[in-house]
């Protein structure tokens, strides 16, 4: 009976109740869709960072990342690759020679990170080959092929089959140079990456750098699933205690930071929305209580217990919260599903997005964990927001309420 009466009380002033419900619908829709949009944007950046730039795990000499010098090498790299390939969850391993170098064309020069890799193995740890815009991935050039980014190609004013010169220090500290011809030009969504990373064949760079046989600066490891990340990392650390084994979270701390911290930011945003809605509910229920002073006083006068009145007012708030929250979350989920399929394009802001390493098309993703938590928070907000109006009603004096009723009837 209490629930039935509370439901009827909500619609005694339908305009006011609908305004509160509509506010909750809009607020919950905005919250859920923003969470989904942010999750889609973060996941896309994270996937591109892992699949294109760093892979899941990298192995180095302990001092290599500090000094970034050629002398800090991994020995017997090809035997290590064979051993790593046997680990469960590993679906790609590639050796890399990593050197800080200068690249020069007939027009100008630039500092770059020069990476010598096995073209076929590199395909198992990176999807960079899928971003080839012009030419091919190490094909079409028989001697000293090189693959560079579109941003760097524009800077050097070169194109496919153009000749460039790479200059760096070899293993003995001597300055050495080599002429390479461009086989392919890639273009990712990260223009900074495109401008600074140059890829050549492992064997070509090995000869120029005069490295010992079977030596490299880096081993990139790709996994079939993120669930194997810690398991494989720990296994590799046990296998090679004298080497540094790092996951993408350590290699690119900003990826892990964004992924972890943004969840807290989203919760703060949702809580701000719920606080605003909570004050709206308090105002609405309090007004409803003050308008029904005579009615509530009469109910108390004829023996209705204060606990039942308290529950009635609480139910009014909870039901409005459930209606508004459910509709808002439902609309938010439907819009997310639709935009996940179609994508949201930001081509007008392409330059800015790509400078930060983000794609211009975002596919929102439903985060069921946050969605369920939001629905629970909506329910809690409805309960908390109704406490003050309900307590206000309990302080009513039945005699004064009845006297007020008699005075109004007399008038």
């Amino acid at each position: 009976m209490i629930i039935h009466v509370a439901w009827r009380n909500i619609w005694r002033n339908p305009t006011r109740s609908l305004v509160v419900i509509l506010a909750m619908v809009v607020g919950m829709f905005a919250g859920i869709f923003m969470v989904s949009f942010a999750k889609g944007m973060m996941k896309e950046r994270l996937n591109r960072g892992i699949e294109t730039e760093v892979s899941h795990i990298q192995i180095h000499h302990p001092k290599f990342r500090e000094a970034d010098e050629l002398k800090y090498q991994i020995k017997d790299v090809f035997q290590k690759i064979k051993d790593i390939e046997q680990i469960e969850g590993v679906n790609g391993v590639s050796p890399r020679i990593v050197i800080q170098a200068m690249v020069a064309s007939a027009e100008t020069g630039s500092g770059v990170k020069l990476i010598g890799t096995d073209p076929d193995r590199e395909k198992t740890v990176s999807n960079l080959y899928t971003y080839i815009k012009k030419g091919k991935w190490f094909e079409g050039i028989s001697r000293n092929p090189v693959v560079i980014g579109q941003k760097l190609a524009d800077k050097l004013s070169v194109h496919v089959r153009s000749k460039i010169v790479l200059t760096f220090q070899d293993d003995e500290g001597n300055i050495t140079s080599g002429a390479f011809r461009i086989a392919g030009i890639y273009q990712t969504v990260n223009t900074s990456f495109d401008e600074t990373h140059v890829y050549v064949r492992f064997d070509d760079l090995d000869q120029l750098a005069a490295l010992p046989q079977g030596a490299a600066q880096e081993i990139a490891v790709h996994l079939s699933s993120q669930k194997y990340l810690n398991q494989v990392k720990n296994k590799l650390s046990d296998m090679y205690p004298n080497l540094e084994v790092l996951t993408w979270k350590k290699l690119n701390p900003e990826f892990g930071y964004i992924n972890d911290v943004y969840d807290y930011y989203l919760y703060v945003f949702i809580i701000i929305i719920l606080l605003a809605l909570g004050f709206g509910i308090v105002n609405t229920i309090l007004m409803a209580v003050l308008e029904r002073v005579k009615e509530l006083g009469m109910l108390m006068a004829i023996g209705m217990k204060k606990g039942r009145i308290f529950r009635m007012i609480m139910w009014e708030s909870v039901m409005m919260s459930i209606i508004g929250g459910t509709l808002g979350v439902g609309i938010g989920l439907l819009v997310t599903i639709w935009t996940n399929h179609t994508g949201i394009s930001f081509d007008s802001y392409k330059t800015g997005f790509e400078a930060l390493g983000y794609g211009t098309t975002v596919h929102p993703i439903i985060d069921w964990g946050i969605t369920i938590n939001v629905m629970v928070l909506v329910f809690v907000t409805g309960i908390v927001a109704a406490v003050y109006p309900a307590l206000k009603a309990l302080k009513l004096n039945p005699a004064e309420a009845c006297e007020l009723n008699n005075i109004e009837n007399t008038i």
Side-chain angles (χ1 to χ4, degrees):
M1 183 183 73
I2 293 296
I3 297 176
H4 177 69
V5 173
W7 176 257
R8 294 186 63 181
N9 286 339
I10 291 175
W11 302 113
R12 291 171 69 174
N13 193 327
T15 301
R16 184 170 58 202
S17 297
L18 285 173
V19 168
V20 174
I21 291 172
L22 183 60
M24 295 199 73
V25 170
V26 173
M28 287 301 95
F29 162 74
I32 291 296
F33 185 70
M34 180 186 174
V35 169
S36 302
F37 179 86
K39 281 289 181 180
M41 197 170 183
M42 287 187 298
K43 184 175 181 180
E44 182 180 19
R45 178 67 186 103
L46 183 59
N47 287 341
R48 289 182 187 277
I50 293 173
E51 300 296 333
T52 306
E53 300 173 22
V54 298
S55 201
H56 291 97
I57 297 174
Q58 289 183 6
I59 305 174
H60 307 98
H61 185 284
K63 295 184 178 180
F64 174 73
R65 292 202 320 132
E66 295 178 8
D68 208 14
E69 295 181 14
L70 198 60
K71 64 181 180 180
Y72 296 119
Q73 303 161 3
I74 302 173
K75 307 297 184 181
D76 301 320
V77 67
F78 295 105
Q79 180 58 51
K80 288 180 171 61
I81 287 175
K82 291 180 180 179
D83 296 336
I84 295 171
E85 288 176 331
Q86 304 306 312
I87 299 175
E88 181 185 5
V90 174
N91 66 350
V93 188
S94 179
R96 291 171 177 169
I97 300 172
V98 182
I99 304 175
Q100 296 300 321
M102 286 293 297
V103 58
S105 67
E107 296 290 331
T108 186
S110 179
V112 296
K113 177 179 282 189
L114 179 59
I115 301 173
T117 186
D118 182 318
D120 293 329
R121 284 188 174 276
E122 188 66 24
K123 289 182 178 181
T124 67
V125 299
S126 168
N127 64 1
L128 187 65
Y129 69 97
T130 64
Y131 289 97
I132 296 295
K133 181 180 179 182
K134 301 174 184 175
K136 295 183 178 180
W137 178 255
F138 289 103
E139 296 178 15
I141 303 295
S142 58
R143 187 170 181 271
N144 286 357
V146 61
V147 174
I148 68 173
Q150 182 64 58
K151 184 74 172 180
L152 181 60
D154 293 340
K155 185 176 183 178
L156 299 176
S157 299
V158 294
H159 49 79
V160 175
R161 303 194 70 82
S162 292
K163 183 183 290 186
I164 59 176
V165 176
L166 295 167
T167 304
F168 54 89
Q169 281 189 325
D170 64 16
D171 191 40
E172 297 177 354
N174 301 315
I175 302 297
T176 184
S177 297
F180 290 77
R181 198 171 292 277
I182 298 174
I185 298 175
Y186 64 86
Q187 184 175 21
T188 69
V189 298
N190 188 344
T191 53
S192 297
F193 180 86
D194 295 355
E195 187 177 0
T196 56
H197 288 70
V198 173
Y199 290 79
V200 299
R201 288 190 304 208
F202 186 95
D203 294 339
D204 295 338
L205 189 56
D206 184 46
Q207 293 178 8
L208 277 174
L211 289 175
Q213 187 175 5
Q217 280 66 50
E218 180 176 293
I219 298 176
V221 181
H222 189 275
L223 307 179
S224 58
S225 172
Q226 282 276 7
K227 68 180 182 180
Y228 294 110
L229 188 65
N230 292 328
Q231 174 185 327
V232 174
K233 190 266 183 186
N234 294 333
K235 178 70 173 178
L236 291 173
S237 296
D238 292 338
M239 291 171 62
Y240 309 114
N242 296 325
L243 296 177
E244 183 181 54
V245 180
L246 298 175
T247 66
W248 59 266
K249 294 181 180 180
K250 292 292 184 180
L251 293 164
N252 284 71
E254 65 272 19
F255 292 167
Y257 178 81
I258 292 173
N259 194 52
D260 294 337
V261 173
Y262 214 78
D263 282 347
Y264 294 104
Y265 165 76
L266 293 175
Y267 274 115
V268 170
F269 179 78
I270 293 295
I271 289 172
I272 291 173
I273 292 177
L274 291 175
L275 284 174
L277 293 175
F279 282 111
I281 294 172
V282 169
N283 179 66
T284 300
I285 300 298
L286 185 59
M287 288 297 296
V289 168
L290 295 177
E291 286 178 356
R292 288 148 50 197
V293 169
K294 303 187 297 292
E295 175 188 326
L296 295 174
M298 289 296 295
L299 290 174
M300 292 181 186
I302 63 177
M304 188 173 186
K305 295 182 179 180
K306 289 186 176 182
R308 294 172 69 85
I309 292 176
F310 182 86
R311 291 197 300 273
M312 179 182 69
I313 295 173
M314 293 292 289
W315 271 111
E316 292 176 23
S317 174
V318 169
M319 284 191 286
M320 282 196 295
S321 299
I322 291 175
I323 294 171
T326 302
L327 285 174
V329 171
I331 294 172
L333 293 177
L334 289 174
V335 173
T336 298
I337 293 171
W338 178 58
T339 52
N340 175 266
H341 177 71
T342 61
I344 302 174
S345 177
F346 291 92
D347 287 339
S348 301
Y349 306 96
K350 183 177 180 179
T351 303
F353 269 67
E354 291 186 350
L356 296 173
Y358 290 90
T360 55
T361 301
V362 178
H363 296 269
I365 298 172
I366 297 174
D367 187 315
W368 289 108
I370 293 181
T371 300
I372 292 172
N373 289 339
V374 167
M375 296 184 72
V376 172
L377 287 173
V378 169
F379 181 75
V380 172
T381 300
I383 294 175
V384 174
V387 170
Y388 175 72
L391 292 175
K392 189 77 173 176
L394 297 184
K395 293 180 180 179
L396 292 174
N397 188 316
E400 292 178 358
C402 290
E403 184 179 349
L404 178 61
N405 185 44
N406 292 332
I407 291 173
E408 289 186 356
N409 288 337
T410 301
I411 294 175

